[in-house]
Amino acid sequence: MKTQVGIIGGGPSGLLLSQLLHLQGIDSVVLERQSREYVLGRIRAGVLEHGFAKLMREARCGERMDREGEIHHGFFIAHDGIRQRIDLHALTGGNSVIVYGQTELTRDLYAARDAAGGQVIHNAEDVKPHAIDSRQPYLTYRRGDDIVRVDCDFIIGCDGFHGVSRKAIPKDKLTEFERVYPFGWLGVLSRTRPVSPELIYATHPRGFALCSLRSQVLSRYYIQVPLADSVEQWSDELFWDELKRRLPDDVAAQLMTGASIEKSIAPLRSYVCEPMRWGSLFLAGDAAHIVPPTGARGLNSAASDVYYLYHALVDHYHHGDDRGLDEYSAKALARVWKGQRFSWWMTTLLHRFPDSSAFERRLQDTDLAYLFSSRQAQASLAENYVGLPF
Ligand code: APR
Ligand code: PHB
């Protein structure tokens, strides 16, 4: 098999890149290890920057997002029983975010690839990149007893944190940066009316909590839990009780509870690997960087990688200009680190660290008091939340 761009991973990064390239007449093949049902069965976040939404429209995949997604002009931070609204729209000169589940977004991308006859190969076992330090790289994967070879000009690693692509870069050529947080997020999805039309990020001596949504009949809630906890320890009843304790009384009184249809614990980690290119291999999304979900940057950082790669590949194929490819790693990392800083700051601001000193807790409270009292501080938060320019 021969193509121009070989993509490992059929998650949002790989599919969005493949679709954008297709619209520019550039051929690609996506190799996905899992089945489509499995990929679409994963519950992930769903706050889209305005730049990402624009890219989805450019990929001609924005119709359902714009129809079913919710435009949010603000969100709340709750602390000490007070809710402070962060007016994204007013503080950023009219920008906002779209709340639309990553699962639905991925479904739209698959539909667009199918409609265009795109090659997305599922259940591709044992995917391996080869000759990445040459100009004739290729991929192989196993289909039953056969090894299938895909010759290409470039390999894009969109295979997430646990993929093969990052591991193909010689260890001594890679620098890794990591912060693992001493807690996780216990998330629940429930067929209940959301407690608030806008998201509420709550900080409380018992720990962080988040009230989010997927629609007006599907709610998503999270509470901070010790890393050692297991889902089995948390009955629905225990979850709702603990969530209520961490919310302002008036919000807790409004909270509609119900049976969880999904419940899972996600560890919190900040991770970046540099560089994001090695020879003919380029990394994008979770394959190169992970953020704690507090800043809602994960998917959006992946989208900015795709934005830079897409333009660099178009410049290469349409204009024979490789500057974008040569600058990709530096450009993508510059924005990735801003997302890392914002996510780390939001996580540090809103969570209770088991080993924090009295001095650190005072600083945390003061950071919140400053944020609640300063329009400039809120504007800085808002511009990061709606998405910094690409
Ligand atoms: N071979 C082929 N496919 C693979 C392999 C492999 N060896 N390893 C992983 N994959 C696939 C996974 O099954 C997954 O479908 O790569 C895909 C990676 O998708 P994501 O993890 O969703 O990563 P990405 O597309 O970069 O999207 C980033 O996803 O996890 C969220 O918070 C994250 O929102 C961010 C977004
Ligand atoms: C979610 O809706 O799942 C969600 C929203 C905002 C976040 C993280 C997760 O910061």
Side-chain angles (χ1 to χ4, degrees):
M1 194 188 294
K2 183 153 183 42
T3 186
Q4 291 173 297
V5 180
I7 299 174
I8 314 176
S13 303
L15 296 169
L16 179 58
L17 180 62
S18 181
Q19 172 66 8
L20 287 164
L21 292 176
H22 162 73
L23 294 174
Q24 297 293 328
I26 299 168
D27 191 51
S28 64
V29 169
V30 175
L31 301 181
E32 167 54 52
R33 172 169 59 187
Q34 307 287 359
S35 67
R36 185 170 298 193
E37 296 64 43
Y38 180 92
V39 173
L40 291 174
R42 289 185 299 227
I43 301 291
R44 294 262 176 84
V47 173
L48 313 182
E49 293 175 353
H50 64 101
F52 185 8
K54 199 158 155 265
L55 202 54
M56 282 291 285
R57 296 183 195 106
E58 186 175 342
R60 303 198 192 136
C61 298
E63 195 268 327
R64 196 162 73 97
M65 172 191 76
D66 287 329
R67 195 175 68 236
E68 297 177 13
E70 291 191 5
I71 296 176
H72 282 206
H73 290 316
F75 66 87
F76 294 93
I77 295 184
H79 172 58
D80 256 354
I82 302 165
R83 262 186 301 159
Q84 172 68 45
R85 184 165 185 271
I86 305 297
D87 187 338
L88 298 171
H89 202 256
L91 291 160
T92 63
N95 285 323
S96 49
V97 294
I98 293 187
V99 174
Y100 186 61
Q102 177 171 325
T103 313
E104 300 317 313
L105 180 136
T106 309
R107 204 185 297 284
D108 299 339
L109 289 166
Y110 274 125
R113 297 309 303 128
D114 291 348
Q119 290 202 76
V120 180
I121 298 168
H122 281 281
N123 306 310
E125 291 168 48
D126 223 1
V127 174
K128 286 198 182 79
H130 303 266
I132 57 173
D133 47 8
S134 81
R135 286 180 171 277
Q136 285 82 36
Y138 62 97
L139 290 164
T140 58
Y141 69 96
R142 197 158 41 75
R143 186 173 52 203
D145 298 335
D146 302 332
I147 297 295
V148 181
R149 175 175 168 139
V150 182
D151 288 287
C152 50
D153 305 326
F154 302 103
I155 295 175
I156 317 297
C158 296
D159 49 351
F161 188 75
H162 302 288
V164 288
S165 55
R166 186 179 67 252
K167 299 181 185 103
I169 300 178
K171 259 240 163 285
D172 62 336
K173 304 297 180 196
L174 209 58
T175 308
E176 297 180 291
F177 305 82
E178 187 169 37
R179 166 89 207 251
V180 176
Y181 298 87
F183 39 72
W185 275 17
L186 170 61
V188 158
L189 190 67
S190 61
R191 284 194 211 292
T192 52
R193 174 180 48 74
V195 72
S196 165
E198 293 182 331
L199 274 56
I200 303 177
Y201 290 83
T203 179
H204 187 278
R206 298 175 69 89
F208 168 81
L210 170 62
C211 304
S212 183
L213 56 97
R214 292 289 174 273
S215 72
Q216 286 311 306
V217 293
L218 201 54
S219 297
R220 182 71 166 157
Y221 297 103
Y222 300 93
I223 56 171
Q224 170 189 349
V225 295
L227 265 183
D229 278 16
S230 67
V231 171
E232 292 68 35
Q233 286 171 255
W234 285 92
S235 66
D236 286 359
E237 196 190 351
L238 209 56
F239 174 84
W240 294 120
D241 288 350
E242 186 58 37
L243 176 61
K244 283 181 186 168
R245 282 200 188 94
R246 299 184 189 186
L247 296 174
D249 297 343
D250 62 325
V251 178
Q254 300 285 321
L255 185 71
M256 277 188 66
T257 64
S260 61
I261 55 175
E262 193 273 349
K263 187 164 35 181
S264 55
I265 296 180
L268 269 63
R269 168 211 312 258
S270 295
Y271 172 88
V272 180
C273 80
E274 297 182 359
M276 286 174 62
R277 177 199 181 169
W278 181 255
S280 300
L281 172 67
F282 295 77
L283 303 180
D286 279 19
H289 45 82
I290 299 279
V291 282
T294 329
R297 283 318 86 186
L299 186 55
N300 294 299
S301 290
S304 67
D305 294 346
V306 168
Y307 172 87
Y308 295 129
L309 257 181
Y310 155 55
H311 286 282
L313 288 163
V314 168
D315 287 350
H316 170 81
Y317 284 110
H318 290 192
H319 313 296
D321 176 353
D322 283 354
R323 279 172 300 173
L325 292 173
D326 297 340
E327 295 162 2
Y328 167 70
S329 184
K331 254 193 187 162
L333 282 167
R335 196 171 188 280
V336 162
W337 274 110
K338 289 182 185 138
Q340 289 287 333
R341 181 208 69 84
F342 179 62
S343 304
W344 164 84
W345 176 73
M346 284 279 276
T347 303
T348 308
L349 180 73
L350 300 172
H351 289 72
R352 289 296 154 157
F353 287 71
D355 55 1
S356 64
S357 66
F359 178 75
E360 285 161 332
R361 284 198 292 280
R362 242 314 173 278
L363 281 186
Q364 210 179 12
D365 291 343
T366 309
D367 212 350
L368 283 158
Y370 168 60
L371 181 63
F372 282 22
S373 63
S374 160
R375 201 163 169 76
Q376 286 72 15
Q378 291 172 24
S380 167
L381 166 55
E383 78 166 337
N384 280 278
Y385 198 87
V386 298
L388 298 170
F390 284 160

